[in-house]
Amino acid sequence: GVVVGGRVIWVSRERCRCAGSLAAAEQERQAELEREARARDERLSRCGIGRRFRTALPSDAACTAFAMGYRHGSGNGLYIHGGVGTGKTYNAAGVASVLLDRGERVVFTTSIELFSAIQGTFDGSSPAETASVKRRYLSCEALVLDDLGKESQSAWTLMTLFELLNARYEAMRATIITSQYTMGELERRLARRGESETACAVVSRIRQTCEDVAL
Protein backbone atom coordinates (compact mmCIF):
# COMPACT_ATOMS: atom_id res chain seq x y z
CA GLY A 1 0.00 0.00 0.00
CA VAL A 2 0.92 3.66 -0.20
CA VAL A 3 0.34 6.42 2.32
CA VAL A 4 -1.93 9.14 0.95
CA GLY A 5 -3.11 11.97 3.16
CA GLY A 6 -2.07 10.16 6.30
CA ARG A 7 -3.82 6.84 5.51
CA VAL A 8 -2.79 3.67 3.69
CA ILE A 9 -4.34 3.02 0.28
CA TRP A 10 -4.00 -0.63 -0.70
CA VAL A 11 -3.08 -0.97 -4.37
CA SER A 12 -1.99 -4.60 -4.51
CA ARG A 13 -2.51 -7.88 -2.71
CA GLU A 14 -1.56 -11.52 -2.94
CA ARG A 15 -3.22 -14.67 -1.72
CA CYS A 16 -2.15 -15.94 1.68
CA ARG A 17 0.06 -19.03 1.26
CA CYS A 18 -0.33 -20.43 4.76
CA ALA A 19 -1.41 -24.06 5.14
CA GLY A 20 -4.90 -23.14 6.35
CA SER A 21 -5.54 -20.81 3.40
CA LEU A 22 -4.29 -23.38 0.88
CA ALA A 23 -6.50 -26.06 2.43
CA ALA A 24 -9.54 -23.77 2.31
CA ALA A 25 -8.87 -22.93 -1.35
CA GLU A 26 -8.57 -26.62 -2.25
CA GLN A 27 -11.78 -27.40 -0.36
CA GLU A 28 -13.61 -24.68 -2.31
CA ARG A 29 -12.16 -25.98 -5.59
CA GLN A 30 -13.40 -29.50 -4.83
CA ALA A 31 -16.82 -28.16 -3.85
CA GLU A 32 -17.05 -26.29 -7.18
CA LEU A 33 -16.08 -29.42 -9.12
CA GLU A 34 -18.78 -31.37 -7.28
CA ARG A 35 -21.37 -28.67 -8.08
CA GLU A 36 -20.41 -28.78 -11.75
CA ALA A 37 -20.58 -32.60 -11.78
CA ARG A 38 -24.06 -32.56 -10.20
CA ALA A 39 -25.28 -29.93 -12.67
CA ARG A 40 -23.94 -31.97 -15.60
CA ASP A 41 -25.54 -35.15 -14.26
CA GLU A 42 -28.89 -33.33 -14.05
CA ARG A 43 -28.54 -32.14 -17.66
CA LEU A 44 -27.78 -35.67 -18.84
CA SER A 45 -30.75 -37.00 -16.87
CA ARG A 46 -33.13 -34.40 -18.33
CA CYS A 47 -32.09 -35.23 -21.88
CA GLY A 48 -32.87 -38.91 -21.22
CA ILE A 49 -29.48 -40.58 -20.79
CA GLY A 50 -29.71 -43.33 -18.15
CA ARG A 51 -27.29 -43.44 -15.23
CA ARG A 52 -25.33 -46.36 -16.70
CA PHE A 53 -24.28 -44.27 -19.71
CA ARG A 54 -23.71 -40.83 -18.15
CA THR A 55 -19.94 -41.27 -18.12
CA ALA A 56 -19.85 -42.59 -21.69
CA LEU A 57 -17.55 -41.11 -24.31
CA PRO A 58 -17.51 -42.18 -27.96
CA SER A 59 -15.01 -45.01 -28.47
CA ASP A 60 -15.55 -45.66 -32.18
CA ALA A 61 -13.41 -43.48 -34.49
CA ALA A 62 -16.34 -42.39 -36.68
CA CYS A 63 -18.48 -41.50 -33.65
CA THR A 64 -15.60 -39.56 -32.08
CA ALA A 65 -14.95 -37.63 -35.29
CA PHE A 66 -18.66 -36.81 -35.63
CA ALA A 67 -18.92 -35.54 -32.05
CA MET A 68 -15.76 -33.43 -32.16
CA GLY A 69 -16.47 -31.97 -35.60
CA TYR A 70 -20.20 -31.40 -35.21
CA ARG A 71 -21.51 -28.14 -36.68
CA HIS A 72 -24.80 -26.72 -35.40
CA GLY A 73 -27.53 -26.88 -38.03
CA SER A 74 -25.59 -29.14 -40.39
CA GLY A 75 -28.31 -31.77 -40.37
CA ASN A 76 -25.79 -34.61 -40.36
CA GLY A 77 -26.35 -37.74 -38.25
CA LEU A 78 -25.20 -41.28 -37.56
CA TYR A 79 -26.69 -44.72 -38.14
CA ILE A 80 -24.88 -46.98 -35.66
CA HIS A 81 -25.63 -50.67 -36.12
CA GLY A 82 -24.24 -53.98 -34.90
CA GLY A 83 -24.99 -57.01 -32.78
CA VAL A 84 -25.79 -57.13 -29.08
CA GLY A 85 -22.93 -55.89 -26.90
CA THR A 86 -21.00 -54.06 -29.61
CA GLY A 87 -21.32 -50.65 -27.92
CA LYS A 88 -24.08 -49.00 -29.97
CA THR A 89 -25.87 -47.34 -27.06
CA TYR A 90 -22.57 -46.50 -25.32
CA ASN A 91 -21.25 -44.66 -28.38
CA ALA A 92 -24.56 -42.89 -29.02
CA ALA A 93 -24.69 -41.74 -25.38
CA GLY A 94 -21.07 -40.60 -25.66
CA VAL A 95 -21.84 -38.51 -28.73
CA ALA A 96 -24.93 -37.06 -27.02
CA SER A 97 -22.87 -36.13 -23.94
CA VAL A 98 -20.27 -34.30 -26.03
CA LEU A 99 -22.93 -32.32 -27.87
CA LEU A 100 -24.75 -31.54 -24.62
CA ASP A 101 -21.52 -30.26 -23.05
CA ARG A 102 -21.14 -27.96 -26.06
CA GLY A 103 -24.52 -26.41 -25.33
CA GLU A 104 -26.69 -28.23 -27.88
CA ARG A 105 -30.25 -29.29 -27.07
CA VAL A 106 -30.23 -33.10 -27.04
CA VAL A 107 -32.96 -35.70 -26.47
CA PHE A 108 -32.01 -39.35 -25.91
CA THR A 109 -34.78 -41.95 -26.15
CA THR A 110 -35.50 -45.46 -27.36
CA SER A 111 -37.89 -45.95 -30.25
CA ILE A 112 -40.25 -47.82 -27.89
CA GLU A 113 -40.26 -44.91 -25.40
CA LEU A 114 -40.85 -42.37 -28.17
CA PHE A 115 -43.93 -44.13 -29.58
CA SER A 116 -45.26 -44.82 -26.07
CA ALA A 117 -44.93 -41.14 -25.13
CA ILE A 118 -46.89 -40.04 -28.18
CA GLN A 119 -49.55 -42.78 -27.79
CA GLY A 120 -49.93 -41.84 -24.12
CA THR A 121 -51.49 -38.52 -25.19
CA PHE A 122 -54.26 -40.18 -27.22
CA ASP A 123 -56.38 -41.20 -24.21
CA GLY A 124 -58.39 -38.14 -23.22
CA SER A 125 -55.66 -35.63 -24.04
CA SER A 126 -56.02 -32.65 -26.34
CA PRO A 127 -54.36 -32.44 -29.75
CA ALA A 128 -52.23 -29.67 -28.27
CA GLU A 129 -50.70 -32.11 -25.78
CA THR A 130 -49.90 -34.58 -28.54
CA ALA A 131 -48.27 -31.77 -30.52
CA SER A 132 -46.29 -30.73 -27.44
CA VAL A 133 -44.87 -34.24 -26.97
CA LYS A 134 -43.97 -34.48 -30.65
CA ARG A 135 -42.34 -31.05 -30.50
CA ARG A 136 -39.82 -32.31 -27.95
CA TYR A 137 -38.50 -34.78 -30.50
CA LEU A 138 -38.83 -32.48 -33.50
CA SER A 139 -37.26 -29.28 -32.14
CA CYS A 140 -34.11 -30.50 -30.37
CA GLU A 141 -30.84 -29.99 -32.24
CA ALA A 142 -29.81 -33.64 -31.80
CA LEU A 143 -32.16 -36.60 -31.30
CA VAL A 144 -30.74 -39.98 -30.33
CA LEU A 145 -33.16 -42.76 -31.28
CA ASP A 146 -31.88 -45.93 -29.64
CA ASP A 147 -32.75 -49.49 -30.73
CA LEU A 148 -34.77 -48.63 -33.83
CA GLY A 149 -36.54 -51.73 -35.13
CA LYS A 150 -37.39 -53.14 -31.69
CA GLU A 151 -40.78 -51.40 -31.55
CA SER A 152 -44.03 -53.12 -32.54
CA GLN A 153 -44.67 -52.59 -36.23
CA SER A 154 -47.88 -50.95 -37.43
CA ALA A 155 -48.94 -48.48 -40.09
CA TRP A 156 -49.17 -45.82 -37.37
CA THR A 157 -45.65 -46.34 -35.97
CA LEU A 158 -44.17 -46.35 -39.47
CA MET A 159 -46.00 -43.18 -40.53
CA THR A 160 -45.07 -41.45 -37.26
CA LEU A 161 -41.44 -42.44 -37.75
CA PHE A 162 -41.43 -41.01 -41.28
CA GLU A 163 -43.10 -37.81 -40.06
CA LEU A 164 -40.42 -37.41 -37.39
CA LEU A 165 -37.42 -38.16 -39.62
CA ASN A 166 -38.74 -36.09 -42.51
CA ALA A 167 -39.41 -33.05 -40.30
CA ARG A 168 -35.91 -33.27 -38.85
CA TYR A 169 -34.47 -33.76 -42.35
CA GLU A 170 -36.18 -30.61 -43.62
CA ALA A 171 -35.15 -28.60 -40.54
CA MET A 172 -31.54 -29.86 -40.88
CA ARG A 173 -31.39 -31.25 -37.34
CA ALA A 174 -29.17 -34.19 -36.40
CA THR A 175 -30.64 -37.64 -35.82
CA ILE A 176 -28.42 -40.34 -34.32
CA ILE A 177 -29.91 -43.81 -34.64
CA THR A 178 -28.80 -47.15 -33.21
CA SER A 179 -30.12 -50.48 -34.42
CA GLN A 180 -29.16 -54.11 -34.53
CA TYR A 181 -30.13 -54.07 -38.23
CA THR A 182 -28.31 -52.78 -41.29
CA MET A 183 -30.29 -50.22 -43.29
CA GLY A 184 -31.36 -52.89 -45.77
CA GLU A 185 -32.46 -55.21 -42.97
CA LEU A 186 -34.31 -52.35 -41.26
CA GLU A 187 -36.21 -51.54 -44.45
CA ARG A 188 -37.34 -55.16 -44.81
CA ARG A 189 -38.35 -55.26 -41.13
CA LEU A 190 -40.37 -52.05 -41.36
CA ALA A 191 -42.13 -53.31 -44.50
CA ARG A 192 -43.31 -56.57 -42.91
CA ARG A 193 -46.95 -55.42 -42.72
CA GLY A 194 -47.06 -54.43 -46.36
CA GLU A 195 -46.01 -50.80 -45.88
CA SER A 196 -43.08 -51.13 -48.27
CA GLU A 197 -43.42 -47.64 -49.77
CA THR A 198 -43.29 -45.86 -46.41
CA ALA A 199 -40.52 -48.19 -45.18
CA CYS A 200 -38.48 -47.27 -48.25
CA ALA A 201 -39.10 -43.56 -47.60
CA VAL A 202 -37.99 -43.90 -43.95
CA VAL A 203 -34.73 -45.62 -44.83
CA SER A 204 -34.16 -43.17 -47.69
CA ARG A 205 -34.25 -40.28 -45.20
CA ILE A 206 -31.78 -42.14 -42.96
CA ARG A 207 -29.41 -42.76 -45.87
CA GLN A 208 -29.54 -39.11 -46.92
CA THR A 209 -28.61 -37.73 -43.51
CA CYS A 210 -26.75 -40.40 -41.54
CA GLU A 211 -23.26 -41.78 -41.84
CA ASP A 212 -23.31 -45.59 -41.73
CA VAL A 213 -21.30 -46.82 -38.72
CA ALA A 214 -20.92 -50.61 -38.32
CA LEU A 215 -19.77 -51.87 -34.91
Side-chain angles (χ1 to χ4, degrees):
V2 295
V3 178
V4 178
R7 64 192 183 94
V8 176
I9 304 297
W10 295 102
V11 296
S12 179
R13 65 190 176 106
E14 66 178 32
R15 187 179 297 276
C16 175
R17 308 300 295 176
C18 72
S21 180
L22 291 175
E26 176 61 20
Q27 187 176 12
E28 176 56 31
R29 189 182 75 86
Q30 290 296 330
E32 179 61 25
L33 290 174
E34 290 174 7
R35 284 193 292 270
E36 290 175 359
R38 284 195 300 270
R40 182 176 186 271
D41 191 69
E42 289 172 5
R43 290 197 304 273
L44 293 169
S45 175
R46 283 197 301 273
C47 90
I49 298 178
R51 187 173 297 278
R52 181 176 295 279
F53 296 107
R54 289 181 198 165
T55 58
L57 289 172
S59 57
D60 174 78
C63 293
T64 301
F66 175 87
M68 302 310 295
Y70 183 77
R71 291 183 298 108
H72 180 90
S74 65
N76 297 326
L78 296 170
Y79 185 79
I80 307 169
H81 60 93
V84 176
T86 52
K88 301 183 297 295
T89 301
Y90 182 90
N91 273 277
V95 171
S97 296
V98 172
L99 298 186
L100 197 69
D101 287 341
R102 290 174 54 178
E104 302 289 1
R105 285 185 58 213
V106 181
V107 172
F108 189 104
T109 184
T110 67
S111 60
I112 293 173
E113 288 169 345
L114 181 145
F115 292 123
S116 293
I118 296 172
Q119 283 180 320
T121 65
F122 293 167
D123 224 356
S125 301
S126 66
E129 186 172 345
T130 301
S132 176
V133 171
K134 285 184 176 181
R135 196 178 303 119
R136 179 170 186 256
Y137 304 115
L138 294 171
S139 64
C140 58
E141 173 63 15
L143 171 68
V144 178
L145 193 55
D146 195 30
D147 265 339
L148 183 61
K150 290 286 185 67
E151 68 283 352
S152 298
Q153 302 300 316
S154 70
W156 176 83
T157 57
L158 193 54
M159 203 62 225
T160 301
L161 179 61
F162 177 75
E163 177 190 351
L164 173 73
L165 294 178
N166 189 59
R168 296 189 60 78
Y169 164 79
E170 292 180 352
M172 296 188 71
R173 295 190 172 107
T175 306
I176 298 154
I177 297 168
T178 76
S179 179
Q180 70 182 62
Y181 307 103
T182 66
M183 290 191 202
E185 290 168 344
L186 178 68
E187 182 175 345
R188 289 191 291 275
R189 181 171 178 80
L190 296 178
R192 286 185 308 172
R193 293 186 178 272
E195 300 285 340
S196 57
E197 189 174 324
T198 309
C200 179
V202 165
V203 176
S204 174
R205 285 291 180 261
I206 296 172
R207 283 197 174 99
Q208 286 176 291
T209 57
C210 295
E211 178 183 355
D212 190 287
V213 180
L215 299 184

